[in-house]
Amino acid sequence: HLCRVDSGSRCLSNPGSGTVYTETLVYSPTPQFADDVPYQLAIVELAGGRRLTGRIEGERAVIGDRVEFNEFRNQVPFFRKTL
């Protein structure tokens, strides 16, 4: 589950699918993610226009690609490109 501090009891258990709004590849991470480089971060625009920052796993996604939610890991949403 992902909960916003200012949203009261509203939490996301499954953000669903969306479209990549913007993305980047990370090569210089913070120490806790050093073993993951390179990895892709994206802002995903969900249904209803909400945007969520998460990681893309598998094939690289580009702006405009459809992605679907895969799982949360340490409260970080992971998405995968929709084929």
CSV table of all heavy atoms in Angstrom, one decimal, residues 17-18 59 61 65-69 79-83:
chain,number,residue,atom,x,y,z
A,17,SER,N,-3.0,0.6,-14.3
A,17,SER,CA,-2.1,1.0,-15.4
A,17,SER,C,-2.1,2.5,-15.7
A,17,SER,O,-2.9,3.2,-15.1
A,17,SER,CB,-2.6,0.2,-16.6
A,17,SER,OG,-3.9,0.6,-17.0
A,18,GLY,N,-1.2,2.9,-16.6
A,18,GLY,CA,-1.1,4.3,-16.9
A,18,GLY,C,-0.2,4.5,-18.1
A,18,GLY,O,0.2,3.5,-18.8
A,59,GLU,N,11.6,-4.3,-20.0
A,59,GLU,CA,12.0,-3.5,-21.2
A,59,GLU,C,11.8,-2.0,-20.9
A,59,GLU,O,10.9,-1.6,-20.2
A,59,GLU,CB,11.0,-3.9,-22.3
A,59,GLU,CG,11.3,-3.2,-23.6
A,59,GLU,CD,10.4,-3.6,-24.7
A,59,GLU,OE1,9.7,-4.7,-24.6
A,59,GLU,OE2,10.3,-2.9,-25.7
A,61,ALA,N,10.8,1.7,-21.0
A,61,ALA,CA,9.6,2.4,-21.5
A,61,ALA,C,10.0,3.8,-21.8
A,61,ALA,O,10.9,4.4,-21.2
A,61,ALA,CB,8.5,2.4,-20.4
A,65,ASP,N,4.4,5.5,-23.6
A,65,ASP,CA,4.2,4.0,-23.5
A,65,ASP,C,3.2,3.7,-22.4
A,65,ASP,O,3.2,4.4,-21.3
A,65,ASP,CB,5.5,3.3,-23.2
A,65,ASP,CG,6.3,3.0,-24.4
A,65,ASP,OD1,5.9,3.3,-25.5
A,65,ASP,OD2,7.5,2.6,-24.2
A,66,ARG,N,2.4,2.7,-22.6
A,66,ARG,CA,1.5,2.2,-21.5
A,66,ARG,C,2.3,1.3,-20.6
A,66,ARG,O,3.1,0.5,-21.1
A,66,ARG,CB,0.3,1.4,-22.2
A,66,ARG,CG,-0.6,2.3,-23.1
A,66,ARG,CD,-1.5,3.2,-22.3
A,66,ARG,NE,-2.4,2.4,-21.5
A,66,ARG,CZ,-3.1,2.9,-20.4
A,66,ARG,NH1,-2.9,4.2,-20.1
A,66,ARG,NH2,-3.9,2.2,-19.7
A,67,VAL,N,2.0,1.4,-19.3
A,67,VAL,CA,2.6,0.5,-18.3
A,67,VAL,C,1.6,0.0,-17.4
A,67,VAL,O,0.5,0.7,-17.2
A,67,VAL,CB,3.8,1.2,-17.6
A,67,VAL,CG1,5.0,1.6,-18.5
A,67,VAL,CG2,3.3,2.5,-16.9
A,68,GLU,N,1.9,-1.1,-16.8
A,68,GLU,CA,0.9,-1.6,-15.8
A,68,GLU,C,1.6,-1.9,-14.5
A,68,GLU,O,2.8,-2.2,-14.4
A,68,GLU,CB,0.2,-2.9,-16.2
A,68,GLU,CG,1.2,-4.0,-16.6
A,68,GLU,CD,0.4,-5.2,-17.2
A,68,GLU,OE1,-0.6,-5.0,-17.8
A,68,GLU,OE2,1.0,-6.3,-17.0
A,69,PHE,N,0.9,-1.7,-13.4
A,69,PHE,CA,1.5,-1.9,-12.0
A,69,PHE,C,1.8,-3.3,-11.9
A,69,PHE,O,1.1,-4.2,-12.2
A,69,PHE,CB,0.5,-1.4,-11.0
A,69,PHE,CG,0.9,-1.8,-9.6
A,69,PHE,CD1,1.9,-1.1,-9.0
A,69,PHE,CD2,0.3,-2.8,-8.9
A,69,PHE,CE1,2.3,-1.4,-7.7
A,69,PHE,CE2,0.6,-3.1,-7.6
A,69,PHE,CZ,1.6,-2.4,-7.0
A,79,PHE,N,6.4,-0.8,-12.1
A,79,PHE,CA,5.6,-0.9,-13.3
A,79,PHE,C,6.3,-1.7,-14.3
A,79,PHE,O,7.6,-1.8,-14.3
A,79,PHE,CB,5.2,0.5,-13.9
A,79,PHE,CG,4.3,1.3,-13.0
A,79,PHE,CD1,4.8,2.1,-12.0
A,79,PHE,CD2,2.9,1.2,-13.1
A,79,PHE,CE1,4.0,2.8,-11.2
A,79,PHE,CE2,2.1,2.0,-12.4
A,79,PHE,CZ,2.6,2.8,-11.4
A,80,ARG,N,5.6,-2.2,-15.3
A,80,ARG,CA,6.2,-3.0,-16.4
A,80,ARG,C,5.5,-2.5,-17.7
A,80,ARG,O,4.3,-2.3,-17.7
A,80,ARG,CB,6.0,-4.5,-16.2
A,80,ARG,CG,6.6,-5.4,-17.2
A,80,ARG,CD,6.5,-6.8,-16.9
A,80,ARG,NE,7.3,-7.2,-15.7
A,80,ARG,CZ,8.6,-7.5,-15.8
A,80,ARG,NH1,9.2,-7.5,-16.9
A,80,ARG,NH2,9.3,-7.8,-14.7
A,81,LYS,N,6.3,-2.4,-18.7
A,81,LYS,CA,5.8,-1.9,-20.0
A,81,LYS,C,4.7,-2.9,-20.5
A,81,LYS,O,4.9,-4.1,-20.5
A,81,LYS,CB,6.9,-1.8,-21.0
A,81,LYS,CG,6.5,-1.2,-22.4
A,81,LYS,CD,7.7,-1.0,-23.3
A,81,LYS,CE,7.3,-0.6,-24.7
A,81,LYS,NZ,8.4,-0.3,-25.5
A,82,THR,N,3.6,-2.4,-21.0
A,82,THR,CA,2.5,-3.2,-21.6
A,82,THR,C,2.9,-3.5,-23.0
A,82,THR,O,3.2,-2.6,-23.8
A,82,THR,CB,1.2,-2.5,-21.5
A,82,THR,OG1,0.9,-2.1,-20.2
A,82,THR,CG2,0.0,-3.3,-22.0
A,83,LEU,N,2.8,-4.8,-23.4
A,83,LEU,CA,3.1,-5.2,-24.8
A,83,LEU,C,2.0,-5.0,-25.7
A,83,LEU,O,0.9,-5.0,-25.4
A,83,LEU,CB,3.7,-6.6,-24.8
A,83,LEU,CG,4.9,-6.8,-23.9
A,83,LEU,CD1,5.3,-8.3,-23.9
A,83,LEU,CD2,6.1,-5.9,-24.4
